[in-house]
Amino acid sequence: MAFYAANTSHDGHLTLAQAKAANFKPVVEHFSEIDANKKGYVTFYDIQAWRLDEFAKHLEKRADELRAKDQ
């Protein structure tokens, strides 16, 4: 819901300025990562994909930590 509130133009394209105005901190802090195609905006799906990528990185790190305990 934060995405839709921040997207004041209601076009599905959230700009960095809109994210800043809405104090949408995670998107502001990682905008360049989320906007991987350098479009100048991110979509709801871009943000969700980035979150999944970040979660996957966390899981992989945790899996490596667990594997290291067996050695």
Side-chain angles (χ1 to χ4, degrees), residues 2 4 9 17 23 35 53 55 58-62 65 68:
Y4 297 106
S9 57
N23 201 30
D35 184 17
D53 286 342
F55 186 61
H58 169 75
L59 290 176
E60 189 60 38
K61 180 182 176 189
R62 183 67 181 126
E65 290 168 355

Side-chain angles (χ1 to χ4, degrees), residues 1-70:
M1 296 314 286
F3 175 87
Y4 297 106
N7 181 227
T8 56
S9 57
H10 307 291
D11 61 359
H13 299 163
L14 184 69
T15 65
L16 180 57
Q18 288 173 325
K20 285 180 180 178
N23 201 30
F24 200 0
K25 289 182 182 183
V27 173
V28 171
E29 292 172 2
H30 300 280
F31 192 86
S32 62
E33 293 171 55
I34 300 168
D35 184 17
N37 294 327
K38 308 302 178 217
K39 299 174 290 194
Y41 63 85
V42 297
T43 66
F44 176 81
Y45 298 111
D46 291 332
I47 296 168
Q48 293 304 312
W50 171 77
R51 285 186 173 153
L52 287 171
D53 286 342
E54 291 299 305
F55 186 61
K57 288 176 195 174
H58 169 75
L59 290 176
E60 189 60 38
K61 180 182 176 189
R62 183 67 181 126
D64 289 344
E65 290 168 355
L66 291 172
R67 285 185 198 99
K69 290 184 178 191
D70 274 341

